[in-house]
Amino acid sequence: MPHGGRCGSGRGDGAGGAHLGNSPDGSATMLTGTYRLDGEISGRLLDALPPLPALDGEVWDCPLMPWLGEEIVRDEAGQEAVLDRLLDLLLISVLRAWFSRPEARAPGWYRALDDPVVGRALRLLQNNPAHPWTVAGLAAETGVSRAAPARRFTALVGEPPMAYLTGWRLALAADLLRDPESTLAAVARRVGYGSAFALSAAFTRERGLSPRAYREAALSGADALGNKS
């Protein structure tokens, strides 16, 4: 789940709040929060959502909203930290409610998180991409036979576990490459490749451009980055 959200009270500090309308005592209140993210890991989630998902009170009755409304106008110590954490919780609550609707088209990896075997395998791959994972290793960690996780993973997620791991590693690498201070060798180590050459070869093969070209395009704000997810 993405972090770094900002929720604020309209002080003009970029926090995302605003005072609108003609009366502070009006019957409706709009609260706004912003996540400043630009990357492929967060894009996997955003791609599964419409441009403007909307939930009404019949579908989603969140107890966090009154608390957020009170905190956003409370100018006390720790307000920013409280608002940021509330925004994280609010986002999680919205996503759960959105994807739990009967008509929702949740991506395979999201649905698979509820599976006791595949969900654990997904978390292992996501939380420790640098580990030298194998199907046998995943089976041992999830407590099932070697063939079981591969079959169930493919059926629920839509691709084999090692293919998913490759995509996750390269998406993570693409995000890390946006930091001009990170060397290619350091990025390679963090995402599970033994050398900068190995990462460069995999990245170029899957995305059609080298890590260096990707970094230059990302830092220059280019639209076409050859993304594949």
Side-chain angles (χ1 to χ4, degrees):
M1 214 29 93
H3 292 274
R6 289 292 180 266
C7 191
S9 54
R11 296 188 299 270
D13 56 3
H19 291 270
L20 302 172
N22 55 15
S23 171
D25 300 319
S27 60
T29 301
M30 182 174 70
L31 308 175
T32 67
T34 303
Y35 279 87
R36 294 178 181 142
L37 295 170
D38 184 14
E40 297 199 19
I41 295 298
S42 57
R44 289 180 167 222
L45 178 60
L46 294 177
D47 289 344
L49 297 169
L52 185 63
L55 295 170
D56 58 40
E58 295 181 359
V59 176
W60 184 60
D61 182 17
C62 181
L64 294 171
M65 293 303 292
W67 190 5
L68 183 61
E70 294 173 4
E71 187 65 35
I72 206 168
V73 295
R74 180 179 294 153
D75 191 11
E76 296 182 11
Q79 183 202 40
E80 183 176 347
V82 172
L83 288 175
D84 289 351
R85 298 295 75 74
L86 282 174
L87 185 56
D88 286 345
L89 293 172
L90 192 64
L91 175 62
I92 294 170
S93 179
V94 167
L95 292 173
R96 285 176 173 175
W98 180 264
F99 287 130
S100 68
R101 298 171 308 127
E103 68 274 22
R105 295 182 178 180
W109 58 262
Y110 183 92
R111 297 192 304 270
L113 288 170
D114 290 333
D115 185 86
V117 174
V118 179
R120 175 163 171 71
L122 274 168
R123 292 181 178 91
L124 287 168
L125 298 178
Q126 292 172 352
N127 294 338
N128 192 5
H131 184 78
W133 291 110
T134 63
V135 173
L138 279 177
E141 290 288 341
T142 54
V144 294
S145 66
R146 178 171 178 170
R151 278 198 310 268
R152 291 176 67 169
F153 197 105
T154 303
L156 293 177
V157 179
E159 59 183 336
M162 295 300 102
Y164 177 88
L165 177 60
T166 296
W168 181 261
R169 283 172 167 170
L170 294 180
L172 182 57
D175 286 352
L176 293 172
L177 286 168
R178 293 173 181 268
D179 179 3
E181 302 299 320
S182 295
T183 66
L184 185 57
V187 172
R189 287 193 299 270
R190 288 188 61 180
V191 301
Y193 285 89
S195 66
F197 178 80
L199 171 60
S200 182
F203 197 97
T204 304
R205 180 176 62 252
E206 291 296 318
R207 294 173 180 260
L209 75 170
S210 69
R212 180 178 179 179
Y214 180 93
R215 168 177 276 169
E216 291 174 351
L219 295 179
S220 67
D223 292 330
L225 292 174
N227 294 349
K228 291 175 69 175
S229 59

